[in-house]
DNA sequence: CTTCTTACA
DNA sequence: TGTAAGGA
């Protein structure tokens, strides 16, 4: 029940989100304009994204690549953001989709840890191991 | 150096 | 979407 809290904690700036999602700052801000994501702001007006925001962006990216437009995505995000195939053009098996989402979160988590450990000084216990799985 | 907004190609 | 400009 407190896990949700951490997932909703506004933690990373747009630069990190760019690496995590492979989206440009332009795109990320654009999606925000269209109310697809709602990042928090720092006192200095800097955007801060939560884990959930990153996950949302990854999902948005997915849908966009499948040919769904902003308006379409907007409609299927608020109400029931869970596994739903709008019978029209979406083709996912609820079971498979759920696993993919979990994997994306895991992927983000690992990358996040890598990034956090990169700055301070090479004092990470997992640095070596994880480095072999990610190019960034 | 990173991010922000606005505006134009 | 990309990118330049001008400020924080």
């Amino acid at each position: 029940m407190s896990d949700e809290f951490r997932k909703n904690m506004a933690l990373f700036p747009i630069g990190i989100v760019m690496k995590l999602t492979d989206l440009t700052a332009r795109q990320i801000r654009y999606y925000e304009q269209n109310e697809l994501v709602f990042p928090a702001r720092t006192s200095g007006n800097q955007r801060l994204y939560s884990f959930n925001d990153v996950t949302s962006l990854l999902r948005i990216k997915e849908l966009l690549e499948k040919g769904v437009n902003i308006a379409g995505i907007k409609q299927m995000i608020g109400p029931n953001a869970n596994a739903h195939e709008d019978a029209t053009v979406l083709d996912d098996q609820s079971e498979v989709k759920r696993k993919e989402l979990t994997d994306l979160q895991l992927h983000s988590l690992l990358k996040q840890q890598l990034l956090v450990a990169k700055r301070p000084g090479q004092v990470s216990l997992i640095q070596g191991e994880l480095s072999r799985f990610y190019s960034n």
Side-chain angles (χ1 to χ4, degrees), chain A residues 18 25 29 35-36 51-52 94 98 119 127 129 133:
Chain A
M18 287 174 70
R29 297 191 186 111
E35 304 172 86
L36 264 45
F51 218 91
N52 282 335
S94 56
R98 188 160 298 184
R119 288 299 172 185
Q127 178 84 68
E129 281 63 25
F133 300 108

Side-chain angles (χ1 to χ4, degrees), chain A residues 39 62 66 69 99:
Chain A
E62 241 173 57
K66 284 190 175 183
N69 58 50
K99 188 182 187 308

Side-chain angles (χ1 to χ4, degrees), chain A residues 17-83:
Chain A
V17 178
M18 287 174 70
K19 296 178 182 177
L20 253 33
T21 64
D22 276 316
L23 290 169
T24 64
R26 180 76 162 88
Q27 294 175 303
I28 297 172
R29 297 191 186 111
Y30 181 66
Y31 303 154
E32 178 186 358
Q33 279 198 320
N34 286 276
E35 304 172 86
L36 264 45
V37 285
F38 315 93
R41 294 292 184 119
T42 66
S43 50
N45 200 42
Q46 299 279 109
R47 269 169 266 249
L48 282 188
Y49 298 81
S50 69
F51 218 91
N52 282 335
D53 290 327
V54 174
T55 302
S56 294
L57 285 170
L58 287 173
R59 202 155 100 64
I60 291 168
K61 183 190 170 193
E62 241 173 57
L63 293 170
L64 240 32
E65 292 173 335
K66 284 190 175 183
V68 183
N69 58 50
I70 305 293
I73 296 174
K74 192 171 179 179
Q75 293 178 61
M76 42 190 299
I77 273 196
N80 23 298
N82 243 333

